[in-house]
Amino acid sequence: MKFARVIIGMNSPETDRVFDYLIPENFAQKAVQGVRVIVPFGRKNTKTEGYILSLSNESEIPKEKLKAITEFLDDGKPTFTPQMLHLAEWMKEKYFCTLSQCLQAIMPSGIRTKSTWYVSLSKTNEMPEYGDGERAVLEALKESGGVAELKDLETLFGNGLKKVIQQLQHKNMIFLKQQLSRGEYKNEERFYSLNLSSPLLEMAMQKAEQDKRLLGQRKLFQLLRQKGECSIEEIRSSGITESPMKTLLTKGILLEKRKEKKRAVFSLEDYEKTTPFRPTLEQANALCQIEVQMIKTEKKPILLHGITGSGKTEIYMQSIAKTLAMGKQAVVLVPEISLTPQIMERFISRFGAAVSVTHSRLSAGERLDQWKKARDGEISVMIGPRSALFMPFSNLGMIILDEAHENSYISDITPKYDAREAAKELAKDTGAILIMGSATPDLVTYHKAVTGEYLLLELKERTGGGALPEMNIVDMCRELEEGNRSSFSRVLQEEIGKNLDKGEQTMLFLNRRGFASFVSCRSCGHVMRCPECNISYTYHAKENVLMCHYCGKTEENPRVCPVCGSKYIRYFGTGTQKIEEEARRLFPKARILRMDLDTTLRKDSHSRILEAFRNGEADILVGTQMIAKGHDFPNVSLVGIMAADTSLNTGGFYAAENTFQLITQAGGRAGRVNDMGRVYIQTYQPKHYCVTHAAKQDYRGFYKEEILLRQMMGYPPFGVFFSVLVSGQSENEVAMAAEGLVKMLHENNQDEQFFIMGPVIAALPKFRGEYRQRILIQGKEEELLVQFVTAGVEKMKKIIKKDIYFNLTLNPLNIV
């Protein structure tokens, strides 16, 4: 092949197309699909990273006008499999971004080539005339030793620098130089042996035997003659320092060889081997149906809907065992890093060295080495968060999404991909089985299962005969009426005291989701809601107003409750730290741990806190949603859900669904082995259908009620939302662009097929120096809605200034 079709590693839409490059003859063997390269790009032939999408013997561009690839990275090994290139193309269309952004999300983090431009003073005797701006730049360069980074000068001199640089270049006073750097993260092991062809070897060995001062050399010669080749670790463990090694290396008497050593992220010695459990009748039926799907050409995605403690993990492992027996590999996705240590333990104990794990708390080098192990066929099972989906396995046979309802499977940075959708597309492309497991599936997925698009497998009983916990609703309005202003209801305080006396453990869960604030009445539980959208208003403290971030409706913050007239109506909010402090005051002798974002910033902090609690080193664990799901603590018999209202009123149509999920998941932590646990749900809205169904662990009942509301309001799965976030550094220009786009959309919506809301100031009105306004468009069919909105946005881009940006998202989880 003579030509490579390359996508440039830039995120600009203007460069989001394929460019043809010549393949030099000396690189012909390395030119393969999916490999990373360095190419000259643009008028200045800037060295730029690119990715080979395909090869060809023909090009529509005349050969004399084409540039040649200058470097092949990664020793010519492909970074992207054909399936990953296909997935990137799909993500580009699905999530409204560039192909380069998708490829960079797929490739291992930290390996991307970085380009730095330096400005240097020229060695010249000429002294041309120059203006004040030129003089200031030259003085700055002299003060920095004659060279400075271009970006530092841009920070110092601002927008006018570009013209000054061009003038100084024209006068030969300065020159620009580009320097490339990239993270290699190599972990190499050094090996040493004697150079038997060295004429100095015999003489050196004799001298070491005779000279007492050369004891280190003598011991090194003896070791290498005995073993032939030794690693640096073996040499050091023999009491030999590096000094004699350096001397012999310099003389050519010693040979050094370096081998890449992939880092291990766990030790097999820490895990005991386990064997498969005998499945229950429900599990056996599920396994049988999964096996039937494995041999089908057209495979349905599988929803494994099982209550907490029903043995979903065992089904995952036995299904993976069948996949590995077929010579295929598997990816197991978990929603949060906090789940990784426990699920790791189960999989490593079952599959040993065939398993590895990846997550953000590992170093860049550790993560890259796990990726290489997958590429090189050294492992067959990868466990990790959403990015683990992109492992370069050669023969993927199974993708498992544990806790598949979790919103952390959706990326909040571009590309804003949903790992569940991406997994479905990858499974379709590779012929792999997709299993989504959850005790509380999201409504859209469950709707697809009950309507036959997905295969529904249900587990309704806990394994080992364990019983579901006793769920109790506590009316916090009544607590307030009776004089209790604490975050802890009286019955919860009493139950915690009983647990401490019995030596049993308690979990206190604060289900905060997002950071929207709402206003509620502590007397009657009334929450201020938008009458048009049926979602809670968001409180804006600065303006002291309530705003609906769907339609933009605003209302004054009430001084008294409009329902009962109580003065106890206010902004609602609390935090895990406050709960921890109050627990320490109420139970001074209790040992208390807290697990939230603040306490889990360090590497391995999740596993250390969970292990300490599992080992009985604390009586009470306080935490956010990261403690609510997937953990099995045999001694936990009591769970307190401190304020169900915090997630019930976050200002989104997913709020009831999220709250039901979190209450059910948190409740599932109690009484999982021998004892029926107790769960206390503290709420100011004790009769809300979400709370009552969660207390009964009745998913089907909740689904029936919530799906009717969704159908009535045209919310997913019966409709689609499209969010357009308009942003820029000028507040007026952002407002004009947003209003202009809305006007254009209304003009194109004469048949009123779509419902256009906004523009409104975003819940986060300014972020990283940019003002933000949001437009929401609602429609019935995704394809028609996408065509309608994207056509309007593309037309608007041609009218407004380039420094106004449009961020497009389908069915956004939050609207901040």
Side-chain angles (χ1 to χ4, degrees):
M1 298 292 181
K2 297 176 182 178
F3 307 100
R5 304 184 74 237
V6 175
I7 192 81
I8 301 300
M10 296 179 175
N11 295 334
S12 170
E14 285 76 23
T15 59
D16 190 33
R17 57 190 177 89
V18 174
F19 295 87
D20 286 358
Y21 279 89
L22 292 167
I23 302 170
E25 287 186 17
N26 58 319
F27 286 145
Q29 297 300 316
K30 290 186 176 181
V32 293
Q33 185 186 39
V35 77
R36 293 194 302 151
V37 293
I38 298 296
V39 295
F41 186 74
R43 292 179 183 177
K44 295 182 180 179
N45 289 326
T46 302
K47 295 175 185 175
T48 308
E49 182 173 288
Y51 318 107
I52 295 182
L53 297 185
S54 61
L55 304 171
S56 177
N57 276 320
E58 298 177 351
S59 173
E60 294 179 1
I61 311 298
K63 190 174 181 180
E64 60 273 12
K65 290 187 177 182
L66 291 177
K67 300 171 185 178
I69 295 172
T70 57
E71 187 181 354
F72 280 75
L73 305 180
D74 311 312
D75 300 321
K77 291 183 178 179
T79 300
F80 307 100
T81 63
Q83 290 84 3
M84 288 302 160
L85 290 174
H86 180 270
L87 185 62
E89 295 271 10
W90 175 85
M91 287 169 64
K92 172 193 168 180
E93 299 301 322
K94 181 74 175 177
Y95 302 112
F96 317 106
C97 54
T98 67
L99 182 56
S100 176
Q101 287 171 322
C102 298
L103 290 169
Q104 286 164 17
I106 288 172
M107 66 192 241
S109 61
I111 67 168
R112 186 181 172 191
T113 304
K114 295 176 182 176
S115 174
T116 307
W117 283 94
Y118 292 91
V119 182
S120 301
L121 289 171
S122 300
K123 294 179 181 179
T124 177
N125 294 323
E126 296 179 22
M127 293 295 292
E129 292 184 8
Y130 42 76
D132 292 341
E134 295 169 324
R135 184 181 292 108
V137 171
L138 292 173
E139 288 298 324
L141 285 171
K142 287 176 184 176
E143 287 178 12
S144 61
V147 63
E149 278 193 41
L150 180 59
K151 69 175 184 179
D152 292 339
L153 294 176
E154 287 171 344
T155 303
L156 193 61
F157 293 103
N159 296 331
L161 179 69
K162 186 176 180 181
K163 186 177 180 181
V164 174
I165 291 289
Q166 290 172 345
Q167 291 168 344
L168 289 172
Q169 279 183 294
H170 184 69
K171 295 174 181 179
N172 293 321
M173 296 300 294
I174 62 168
F175 65 92
L176 270 66
K177 186 177 181 180
Q178 182 189 17
Q179 185 173 310
L180 300 182
S181 62
R182 65 185 66 93
E184 297 287 347
Y185 306 110
K186 282 188 177 178
N187 184 39
E188 292 182 321
E189 197 170 12
R190 290 181 286 161
F191 291 87
Y192 296 90
S193 60
L194 296 175
N195 184 2
L196 301 178
S197 61
S198 170
L200 303 177
L201 177 60
E202 281 298 324
M203 188 185 299
M205 289 173 64
Q206 290 174 9
K207 190 174 180 181
E209 286 292 336
Q210 297 165 2
D211 193 336
K212 292 181 180 180
R213 293 172 298 177
L214 302 178
L215 177 62
Q217 288 189 21
R218 183 164 73 250
K219 289 173 72 176
L220 183 59
F221 282 133
Q222 289 171 350
L223 181 65
L224 294 178
R225 286 175 68 185
Q226 180 185 351
K227 294 199 171 182
E229 182 180 78
C230 288
S231 69
I232 183 68
E233 285 78 14
E234 289 177 296
I235 293 171
R236 285 172 180 163
S237 64
S238 299
I240 303 167
T241 66
E242 292 204 29
S243 178
M245 295 166 57
K246 289 178 181 177
T247 302
L248 296 176
L249 277 169
T250 305
K251 293 180 179 179
I253 296 169
L254 206 62
L255 296 176
E256 183 184 68
K257 184 168 65 177
R258 292 177 181 248
K259 296 178 183 177
E260 184 180 4
K261 183 182 180 182
K262 299 186 180 84
R263 301 165 183 84
V265 291
F266 62 85
S267 172
L268 275 177
E269 296 174 359
D270 297 335
Y271 300 90
E272 291 184 15
K273 182 74 176 173
T274 62
T275 54
F277 297 121
R278 184 174 180 178
T280 64
L281 287 175
E282 281 188 328
Q283 287 176 320
N285 177 59
L287 286 165
C288 181
Q289 293 198 55
I290 291 169
E291 199 166 346
V292 168
Q293 286 294 313
M294 282 182 174
I295 59 175
K296 286 187 175 181
T297 307
E298 295 290 326
K299 299 176 174 66
K300 275 189 178 183
I302 297 170
L303 174 59
L304 181 61
H305 179 207
I307 63 171
T308 54
S310 59
K312 293 185 289 293
T313 304
E314 184 63 28
I315 289 179
Y316 300 157
M317 292 192 291
Q318 294 197 27
S319 299
I320 286 174
K322 292 184 174 71
T323 301
L324 301 189
M326 297 165 69
K328 297 183 178 184
Q329 300 95 35
V331 168
V332 181
L333 301 185
V334 291
E336 290 181 34
I337 190 175
S338 61
L339 289 180
T340 303
Q342 185 166 327
I343 205 163
M344 248 184 80
E345 180 181 348
R346 293 179 178 180
F347 276 80
I348 295 168
S349 298
R350 186 69 56 87
F351 298 110
V355 178
S356 191
V357 63
T358 182
H359 53 72
S360 60
R361 298 299 169 91
L362 298 178
S363 70
E366 287 173 327
R367 292 199 304 273
L368 181 59
D369 281 350
Q370 309 323 301
W371 182 90
K372 287 180 177 178
K373 287 179 182 179
R375 180 195 65 188
D376 298 339
E378 296 174 20
I379 57 169
S380 302
V381 181
M382 181 63 78
I383 304 169
R386 59 177 181 258
S387 60
L389 181 66
F390 305 132
M391 287 298 124
F393 282 127
S394 60
N395 191 11
L396 186 64
M398 183 166 286
I399 304 170
I400 289 172
L401 285 96
D402 190 36
E403 308 288 0
H405 62 277
E406 270 299 306
N407 293 335
S408 55
Y409 281 125
I410 301 176
S411 171
D412 55 3
I413 58 173
T414 304
K416 295 184 177 179
Y417 69 94
D418 185 334
R420 294 166 292 201
E421 294 176 334
K424 183 181 172 183
E425 182 65 22
L426 183 60
K428 181 181 173 183
D429 195 33
T430 58
I433 287 277
L434 172 61
I435 301 175
M436 297 168 285
S438 176
T440 54
D442 66 274
L443 260 75
V444 173
T445 298
Y446 191 76
H447 185 72
K448 288 180 179 179
V450 295
T451 54
E453 186 177 339
Y454 294 169
L455 175 63
L456 178 61
L457 303 178
E458 295 190 291
L459 303 173
K460 299 178 180 179
E461 297 177 0
R462 281 187 161 186
T463 56
L468 286 169
E470 173 194 323
M471 307 282 279
N472 304 277
I473 299 173
V474 183
D475 185 350
M476 295 302 284
C477 295
R478 181 172 294 178
E479 290 289 310
L480 184 67
E481 284 174 10
E482 296 175 4
N484 179 21
R485 298 181 182 277
S486 168
S487 298
F488 289 74
S489 61
R490 290 163 298 178
V491 66
L492 182 57
Q493 291 181 40
E494 186 181 329
E495 291 298 318
I496 292 172
K498 289 179 183 177
N499 256 31
L500 290 171
D501 291 340
K502 291 190 293 183
E504 295 178 358
Q505 291 175 302
T506 301
M507 294 175 75
L508 300 177
F509 168 63
L510 186 68
N511 52 338
R512 292 193 70 172
R513 186 61 81 109
F515 49 82
S517 307
F518 65 97
V519 169
S520 69
C521 176
R522 291 189 70 184
S523 292
C524 71
H526 174 70
V527 174
M528 297 297 292
R529 291 180 177 274
C530 170
E532 305 295 330
C533 305
N534 195 37
I535 63 168
S536 58
Y537 282 119
T538 298
Y539 174 59
H540 288 254
K542 186 178 178 182
E543 298 86 3
N544 195 32
V545 298
L546 308 178
M547 176 183 281
C548 171
H549 285 285
Y550 275 58
C551 69
K553 183 177 176 62
T554 60
E555 194 170 313
E556 285 187 16
N557 188 27
R559 293 185 177 182
V560 296
C561 175
V563 174
C564 71
S566 168
K567 63 180 181 179
Y568 295 111
I569 183 165
R570 60 177 177 83
Y571 151 77
F572 192 98
T574 188
T576 49
Q577 192 170 355
K578 181 182 174 184
I579 297 295
E580 180 193 12
E581 289 169 358
E582 193 165 353
R584 290 189 185 282
R585 181 179 60 80
L586 291 169
F587 310 103
K589 294 183 180 180
R591 299 167 299 165
I592 301 175
L593 284 172
R594 176 163 58 93
M595 187 170 176
D596 56 20
L597 188 61
D598 293 333
T599 64
T600 56
L601 293 174
R602 294 185 179 181
K603 183 177 178 180
D604 298 329
S605 51
H606 287 85
S607 53
R608 281 198 298 271
I609 294 171
L610 293 173
E611 197 60 31
F613 190 61
R614 186 177 288 109
N615 292 337
E617 295 170 26
D619 305 304
I620 299 172
L621 177 62
V622 180
T624 53
Q625 63 258 29
M626 61 176 66
I627 72 167
K629 307 167 297 295
H631 304 298
D632 185 2
F633 301 110
N635 199 35
V636 171
S637 58
L638 175 64
V639 170
I641 299 169
M642 303 305 295
D645 312 74
T646 48
S647 60
L648 191 54
N649 299 293
T650 49
F653 67 85
Y654 292 108
E657 178 182 320
N658 289 340
T659 302
F660 177 87
Q661 291 166 344
L662 288 166
I663 292 174
T664 306
Q665 294 284 342
R669 301 312 107 212
R672 290 169 66 91
V673 183
N674 301 316
D675 183 30
M676 179 184 282
R678 297 105 64 215
V679 179
Y680 289 87
I681 307 164
Q682 299 188 161
T683 176
Y684 289 95
Q685 298 176 71
K687 294 182 179 178
H688 194 287
Y689 67 93
C690 150
V691 176
T692 57
H693 284 302
K696 291 184 285 187
Q697 302 263 316
D698 181 11
Y699 178 86
R700 187 78 182 184
F702 169 74
Y703 167 79
K704 286 179 179 178
E705 204 154 341
E706 177 72 6
I707 207 75
L708 285 174
L709 178 63
R710 297 273 186 98
Q711 192 168 16
M712 182 177 67
M713 299 297 294
Y715 292 162
F718 304 102
V720 190
F721 278 104
F722 205 132
S723 161
V724 181
L725 184 68
V726 186
S727 62
Q729 293 187 346
S730 168
E731 188 173 10
N732 288 335
E733 288 175 5
V734 167
M736 287 171 61
E739 287 165 7
L741 177 58
V742 167
K743 184 180 178 183
M744 186 183 295
L745 291 173
H746 276 298
E747 288 171 356
N748 297 334
N749 190 35
Q750 296 299 321
D751 57 357
E752 297 186 350
Q753 191 174 358
F754 307 103
F755 182 45
I756 302 162
M757 296 168 275
V760 297
I761 295 171
L764 196 59
K766 192 175 182 182
F767 182 64
R768 293 180 178 172
E770 292 189 341
Y771 294 93
R772 296 144 50 94
Q773 292 207 7
R774 186 177 294 279
I775 304 158
L776 275 179
I777 307 96
Q778 188 178 7
K780 290 183 179 178
E781 293 184 26
E782 181 178 316
E783 190 175 340
L784 291 176
L785 180 62
V786 168
Q787 289 173 0
F788 171 71
V789 177
T790 53
V793 169
E794 289 305 313
K795 192 173 179 181
M796 198 65 197
K797 283 180 181 178
K798 296 173 183 176
I799 300 172
I800 51 99
K801 291 185 177 181
K802 283 189 175 180
D803 53 0
I804 298 293
Y805 305 99
F806 298 88
N807 191 292
L808 311 180
T809 310
L810 268 175
N811 292 325
L813 287 175
N814 62 63
I815 48 173
V816 298

